[in-house]
């Protein structure tokens, strides 16, 4: 374990780390930063909320500060790709705080915002470009950005960047980058086929894994309640009513479902907002700011928020709908218990979602404690599902509260507010 002053960083970076309050590295930072400073390619796996942005941002900034000549217009020296606008903005905000007092300039390009303004920004000096792939390709097609000087590439949430939704865009971007270059991939989950594909972009990488893939943060208390689909809205209202002041993030599967749920909550007197793909970037930014500031208590979202919200004050994550992709469950519940805090994740599971629950439990290698509504039905022979519930929906260990399981029909366990602790780096 090192402290940051031992690394021989540029003085301005040490000053920023002290100002931000970072003194000791998290496990992923402890392993990744020294290797990245040496120039190695990195494949890093760690839970959400454990400091991955600093793990790649600090060595990246130090490398760029060491370069004596400024970049040419439209020619960034480092490129960070992320799957959502929210995550791009979050990364950029962190890097701007880290590089305050240096000459480094961080620029973002995302969809949903004026491309003309982004072209004007790129026409100036850009050291670090943080982008979503689609908008970056639009700018490449307009010849508004030249990636030939990029000698540092970072893929954040790399499993999603290497999935079908983005891999075609990545294949267009990668050949335009400069060589040789350093490439760093970071994610909380990395399915085997994604890890194999990552080798296409990495050169003799150092693999860093501080927690098993698919494992949630230790301080997230997970529970599941079996609820008929039609009764989910009423169950959510009952749950929210028990702690109206807590910041609660609710995940729905579809854009229409998220919007309908939010409007129903507002009509019932809850201070709620929503973010999803049908919202403009301005609407999404305002909703997240209101949620972060505590003006909005309930934020209803699709998986657009599963990887792009870093709000330490989120006390509860509710999976109103279970995700079809089990890895997304890990990312969703990682929105709470961030930076050393505690949090609670509650899942509603209807009869048509039991296979989704089994896949989630198989990925996480646990059985999630049941707090009401019955138990996970036994698999039919040959169903191919994973993970059987114990009789009565009980399980031993796994972070559940002793005696928290209730027989069917007793409703939900009383919510407790997680203890607040000082944030870790």
């Amino acid at each position: 374990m090192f402290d940051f002053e031992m690394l021989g960083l540029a003085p301005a970076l040490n000053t920023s780390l002290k100002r931000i309050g970072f003194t000791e590295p998290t496990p992923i930072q402890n392993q990744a930063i020294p290797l990245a400073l040496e120039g190695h390619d990195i494949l890093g796996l760690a839970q959400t909320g454990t400091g991955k942005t600093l793990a790649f941002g600090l060595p990246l900034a130090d490398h760029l500060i060491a370069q004596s000549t400024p970049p040419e217009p439209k020619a960034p020296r480092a490129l960070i790709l992320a799957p959502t606008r929210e995550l791009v903005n979050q990364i950029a905000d962190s890097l701007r705080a880290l590089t305050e007092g240096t000459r480094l300039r961080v620029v973002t390009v995302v969809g949903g915002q004026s491309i003309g303004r982004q072209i004007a920004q790129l026409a100036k000096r850009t050291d670090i470009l943080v982008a979503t792939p689609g908008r970056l390709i639009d700018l490449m097609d307009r010849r508004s950005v030249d990636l030939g000087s990029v000698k540092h590439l970072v893929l954040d949430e790399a499993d999603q960047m290497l999935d079908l939704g983005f891999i075609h865009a990545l294949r267009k971007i990668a050949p335009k980058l400069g060589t040789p270059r350093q490439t760093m991939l970071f994610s909380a989950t990395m399915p085997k086929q994604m890890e194999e594909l990552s080798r296409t972009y990495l050169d003799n990488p150092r693999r860093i894994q501080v927690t098993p893939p698919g494992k949630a943060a230790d301080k997230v208390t997970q529970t599941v309640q079996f609820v008929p689909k039609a009764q989910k809205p009423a169950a959510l209202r009952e749950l929210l009513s028990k702690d109206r002041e807590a910041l609660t993030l609710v995940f729905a599967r579809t854009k229409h479902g998220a919007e309908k749920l939010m409007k129903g909550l507002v009509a019932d007197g809850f201070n709620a907002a929503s973010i999803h793909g049908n919202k403009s970037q301005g609407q999404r930014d305002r909703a997240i700011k209101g949620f972060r500031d505590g003006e909005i208590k309930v934020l209803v979202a699709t998986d657009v928020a599963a990887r792009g919200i870093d709000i330490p004050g989120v006390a509860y994550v509710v999976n109103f709908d279970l995700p079809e992709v089990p890895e997304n469950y890990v990312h969703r519940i990682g929105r709470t218990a961030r930076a050393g805090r505690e949090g609670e994740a509650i899942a509603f599971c209807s009869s048509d979602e039991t296979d989704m629950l089994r896949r989630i439990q198989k990925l996480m290698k646990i059985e999630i404690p049941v707090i009401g509504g019955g138990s996970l039905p036994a698999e039919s022979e040959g169903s191919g599902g994973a993970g059987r519930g114990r009789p009565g929906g009980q399980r031993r260990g796994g972070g559940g509260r002793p005696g928290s399981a209730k027989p069917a029909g007793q409703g939900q366990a009383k919510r407790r507010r997680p203890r607040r602790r000082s944030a870790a780096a």
Side-chain angles (χ1 to χ4, degrees):
M1 179 69 71
F2 61 82
D3 62 45
F4 290 111
E5 289 190 345
M6 297 169 57
L7 294 174
L9 299 168
L13 295 179
N14 282 322
T15 300
S16 291
L17 289 168
K18 290 178 181 177
R19 184 185 67 254
I20 299 169
F22 291 161
T23 55
E24 293 185 354
T26 64
I28 185 66
Q29 294 164 4
N30 184 59
Q31 295 189 44
I33 290 174
L35 293 171
L37 285 171
E38 293 174 2
H40 294 288
D41 283 8
I42 302 291
L43 175 58
L45 300 177
Q47 299 161 342
T48 58
T50 55
K52 292 193 293 294
T53 301
L54 191 65
F56 63 74
L58 189 61
L60 178 62
D62 192 67
H63 284 308
L64 295 176
I65 290 172
Q67 299 181 22
S68 57
T69 58
E72 297 293 328
K74 301 195 295 185
R77 286 179 167 166
L79 173 64
I80 301 172
L81 292 174
T84 68
R85 307 171 196 173
E86 284 73 22
L87 186 51
V88 164
N89 291 334
Q90 175 187 304
I91 293 169
D93 288 344
S94 297
L95 292 179
R96 287 175 181 133
L98 178 64
T99 58
E100 184 178 330
T102 75
R103 59 174 173 75
L104 298 185
R105 185 166 181 266
V106 181
V107 173
T108 61
V109 294
V110 298
Q113 295 184 350
S114 167
I115 194 169
R117 186 178 298 115
Q118 291 172 358
I119 290 172
Q121 288 288 318
L122 288 168
K124 305 173 185 178
R125 176 179 57 82
T126 300
D127 294 280
I128 304 173
L129 178 61
V130 192
T132 52
R135 177 51 60 93
L136 180 59
I137 289 176
D138 289 343
L139 292 162
M140 291 166 58
D141 290 342
R142 294 172 183 239
R143 298 183 179 179
S144 298
V145 62
D146 179 1
L147 301 180
S149 297
V150 170
K151 296 299 180 69
H152 301 274
L153 171 66
V154 177
L155 302 185
D156 200 10
E157 302 297 352
D159 61 332
Q160 189 169 352
M161 298 304 302
L162 295 170
D163 205 353
L164 291 177
F166 291 100
I167 190 61
H168 298 301
L170 187 58
R171 285 171 176 157
K172 291 182 179 179
I173 294 168
K176 305 296 184 182
L177 303 175
T179 56
R181 64 176 177 269
Q182 179 185 43
T183 301
M184 295 185 278
L185 278 62
F186 285 84
S187 186
T189 58
M190 182 60 68
K192 182 176 177 58
Q193 64 272 27
M194 295 296 102
E195 185 168 351
E196 292 172 352
L197 183 58
S198 73
R199 305 296 172 173
T200 305
Y201 301 95
L202 295 167
D203 180 18
N204 190 27
R206 301 300 179 91
R207 190 181 196 274
I208 298 166
Q209 182 176 316
V210 298
T211 52
K215 186 179 185 299
D218 292 334
K219 295 182 180 180
V220 177
T221 300
Q222 300 178 62
T223 54
V224 62
Q225 180 176 359
F226 293 98
V227 184
K229 194 170 185 177
Q231 296 179 20
K232 282 188 177 185
L236 178 62
R237 286 162 175 76
E238 180 184 350
L239 192 64
L240 295 174
S241 294
K242 293 177 180 178
D243 199 349
R244 283 180 174 264
E245 292 304 307
L247 296 186
T248 303
L249 181 56
V250 180
F251 282 100
R253 190 174 301 123
T254 68
K255 294 178 284 188
H256 173 73
E259 190 69 10
K260 180 179 178 181
L261 181 59
M262 180 274 294
K263 290 180 177 178
L265 290 173
V266 171
D268 285 345
F270 291 95
N271 190 353
S274 66
I275 61 170
H276 49 72
N278 285 346
K279 295 282 188 177
S280 71
Q281 188 61 44
Q283 290 173 318
R284 288 157 68 162
D285 290 345
R286 287 190 294 273
I288 290 174
K289 183 180 185 303
F291 190 54
R292 178 178 286 109
D293 294 344
E295 298 170 0
I296 294 167
K297 301 300 183 183
V298 183
L299 186 63
V300 186
T302 58
D303 280 324
V304 72
R307 302 173 185 246
I309 292 183
D310 183 10
I311 300 175
V314 175
Y316 304 99
V317 169
V318 179
N319 280 280
F320 184 83
D321 299 315
L322 290 182
E324 294 178 347
V325 178
E327 285 82 5
N328 285 352
Y329 175 86
V330 179
H331 290 284
R332 287 180 177 188
I333 68 173
R335 299 310 100 195
T336 187
R338 297 184 72 81
R341 289 173 167 84
E342 294 182 347
E344 193 165 337
I346 304 105
F348 292 164
C349 181
S350 58
S351 59
D352 62 340
E353 294 176 310
T354 54
D355 283 344
M356 298 177 194
L357 179 59
R358 289 192 182 97
R359 291 196 296 272
I360 289 167
Q361 293 186 147
K362 180 181 179 181
L363 171 70
M364 302 187 74
K365 297 180 174 60
I366 66 169
E367 293 177 34
I368 301 172
V370 178
I371 59 170
S375 61
L376 182 61
E379 299 174 71
S380 58
E381 187 174 349
S383 66
R388 298 176 185 273
R390 297 186 187 276
Q394 307 276 349
R395 73 175 290 269
R396 295 188 293 270
R401 296 186 298 277
S404 64
K406 292 180 176 286
Q410 276 195 341
Q412 303 182 31
K414 184 177 180 180
R415 303 171 83 192
R416 60 175 176 81
R417 184 186 298 275
R419 298 189 302 276
R420 300 296 182 222
R421 297 184 180 178
S422 58

